[in-house]
C-alpha cells in the first residue's frame, strides 16, 4: 500500500511547526510498512489532485494568506472535485480559514475556496493559548495551540470537537474546527498530528480506504509516550 501526501505551499503556509504534521504522517505509515511519499507544491506548480491521498494546508499570517488566496481560486474546481470524491484534507488555522467562503480582515476580504460551508471574520484581539477538545471521532482528547485573529462561523458542517479549554472557532460557540466528508479544518497547531496520533491515524485510514476501496484497520503502534504527553496536557489545562 502507498500514500501520497500533497503539501500545499509550505513556503507560505507553515506556522508553529505545521511541517511536523507531514513528518508524523510519513513516520506512522513507514512504521507500519506502508509506503509514503510527500510532494510539496509551490505557488506556480500544477497540482494533480488525482494522484494525492492526503492534502495538507498549514497556517499563515494574513499577508501570506492573501498571496495564497488568489492562487486558490485557480485550483478551486480540481480541489472541490477531490473533496467531493472523499479526498482527505487536513487544514490548519490560516489554511482552515481558506477552506471556507471568505476571511474578512480590516485589510480587506480574502475569497476562500468554499469547499466547506464556513466563513471567518477578524475580531478584536487575538485568541491565543493552549486548547483541549473532546471530539466524537476520537477516544483521546485532542490537544494543541491556537493563535488567530479570525473568528470562524460554521454552516452545514460539523465541528471537530467541543472546547474543554481554549477559545476554539470564535471564542463563544464552545466548538472548534470543522469536519466535512474527509476534510478536517482546525485552528490547532502544535503541530497537531504528532500531539494527537489518533487524528493522524484517522487521516491515514480514511486515505487508504478511499484509495483501495475497502475497510482498513491500521496496526496499532507503541504510542505510550504520545498518550502520556496527551494525558499530561489534559490534566494541566482541564479540571477533571
Ligand atoms: N492569519 C490568520 C489569523 O490570524 C491565521 C493565523 C494562523 O494561521 N495561525 O486568524
Amino acid at each position: 500500500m502507498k500514500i501520497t501526501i500533497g503539501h500545499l505551499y509550505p513556503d507560505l503556509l507553515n506556522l508553529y511547526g505545521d511541517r511536523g504534521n507531514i513528518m508524523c504522517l510519513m513516520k506512522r505509515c513507514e512504521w507500519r510498512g506502508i509506503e509514503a511519499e510527500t510532494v510539496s507544491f509551490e505557488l506556480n506548480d500544477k497540482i494533480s489532485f488525482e494522484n494525492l491521498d492526503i492534502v495538507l494546508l498549514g497556517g499563515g499570517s494574513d499577508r501570506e494568506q492573501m498571496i495564497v488566496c488568489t492562487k486558490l481560486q485557480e485550483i478551486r474546481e480540481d480541489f472541490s472535485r477531490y473533496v467531493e470524491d472523499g479526498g482527505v484534507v487536513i487544514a490548519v488555522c490560516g489554511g482552515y480559514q481558506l477552506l471556507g467562503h471568505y476571511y474578512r480582515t480590516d485589510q480587506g476580504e480574502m475569497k476562500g475556496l468554499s469547499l466547506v460551508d464556513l466563513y471567518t471574520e477578524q475580531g478584536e484581539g487575538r485568541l491565543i493559548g493552549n486548547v483541549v477538545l473532546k471530539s466524537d471521532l476520537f477516544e483521546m482528547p485532542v490537544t494543541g495551540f491556537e493563535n488567530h485573529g479570525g473568528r470562524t462561523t460554521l454552516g452545514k458542517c460539523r465541528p471537530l470537537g467541543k472546547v474543554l479549554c481554549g477559545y476554539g472557532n470564535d471564542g463563544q460557540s464552545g466548538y472548534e474546527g470543522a469536519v466535512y466528508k474527509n476534510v478536517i479544518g482546525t485552528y490547532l497547531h502544535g503541530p497537531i498530528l504528532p500531539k494527537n496520533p489518533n487524528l493522524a491515524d484517522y487521516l491515514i485510514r480514511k486515505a487508504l480506504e478511499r484509495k483501495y476501496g475497502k475497510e482498513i484497520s491500521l496496526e496499532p503502534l507503541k504510542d505510550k509516550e504520545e498518550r502520556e504527553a496527551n494525558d499530561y496536557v489534559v490534566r494541566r489545562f482541564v479540571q477533571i
Side-chain angles (χ1 to χ4, degrees), residues 180-224:
Y180 171 70
K181 293 189 179 238
N182 285 332
V183 178
I184 293 188
T186 175
Y187 272 113
L188 302 196
H189 298 277
I192 186 172
L193 299 183
K195 279 193 150 188
N196 301 282
N198 44 11
L199 208 162
D201 284 355
Y202 173 87
L203 301 175
I204 295 171
R205 181 171 60 79
K206 290 286 182 188
L208 290 172
E209 288 182 343
R210 169 174 178 260
K211 182 164 185 183
Y212 295 100
K214 58 176 184 185
E215 242 178 69
I216 303 273
S217 123
L218 292 177
E219 184 195 321
L221 296 174
K222 292 195 189 89
D223 285 334
K224 190 169 171 284

Side-chain angles (χ1 to χ4, degrees), residues 36-210:
E37 176 196 22
T38 297
V39 187
S40 296
F41 296 98
E42 289 185 17
L43 266 196
N44 291 320
D45 294 342
K46 169 156 176 43
I47 304 175
S48 302
F49 282 93
E50 62 278 12
N51 299 331
L52 302 179
D53 305 305
I54 301 180
V55 169
L56 186 132
L57 274 167
S61 65
D62 290 0
R63 190 190 63 83
E64 290 162 327
Q65 285 174 281
M66 192 68 100
I67 298 171
V68 167
C69 90
T70 320
K71 189 71 202 173
L72 291 181
Q73 293 312 312
E74 290 172 29
I75 63 165
R76 200 200 97 77
E77 221 169 283
D78 290 349
F79 203 164
S80 168
R81 211 170 298 124
Y82 170 83
V83 165
E84 290 304 313
D85 186 48
V88 174
V89 179
I90 174 81
V92 178
C93 203
Y96 167 40
Q97 294 170 339
L98 292 173
L99 293 181
H101 303 300
Y102 63 83
Y103 172 33
R104 189 175 296 148
T105 73
D106 50 18
Q107 302 296 311
E109 183 171 306
M110 296 174 220
K111 200 164 156 42
L113 285 157
S114 288
L115 298 179
V116 183
D117 187 17
L118 57 88
Y119 63 88
T120 304
E121 288 168 340
Q122 192 176 48
E124 213 165 290
R126 298 189 69 78
L127 306 180
I128 305 172
N130 289 288
V131 186
V132 180
L133 310 176
K134 184 66 199 110
S135 172
D136 294 343
L137 297 176
F138 315 109
E139 140 249 340
M140 262 160 60
V142 178
T143 64
F145 170 79
E146 64 184 330
N147 181 355
H148 50 108
R151 273 65 163 170
T152 297
T153 304
L154 305 188
K156 288 189 207 82
C157 57
R158 298 183 283 139
L160 172 62
K162 209 169 163 2
V163 176
L164 303 181
C165 162
Y167 297 102
N169 280 336
D170 58 1
Q172 287 178 349
S173 65
Y175 291 100
E176 201 288 319
V179 180
Y180 171 70
K181 293 189 179 238
N182 285 332
V183 178
I184 293 188
T186 175
Y187 272 113
L188 302 196
H189 298 277
I192 186 172
L193 299 183
K195 279 193 150 188
N196 301 282
N198 44 11
L199 208 162
D201 284 355
Y202 173 87
L203 301 175
I204 295 171
R205 181 171 60 79
K206 290 286 182 188
L208 290 172
E209 288 182 343
R210 169 174 178 260

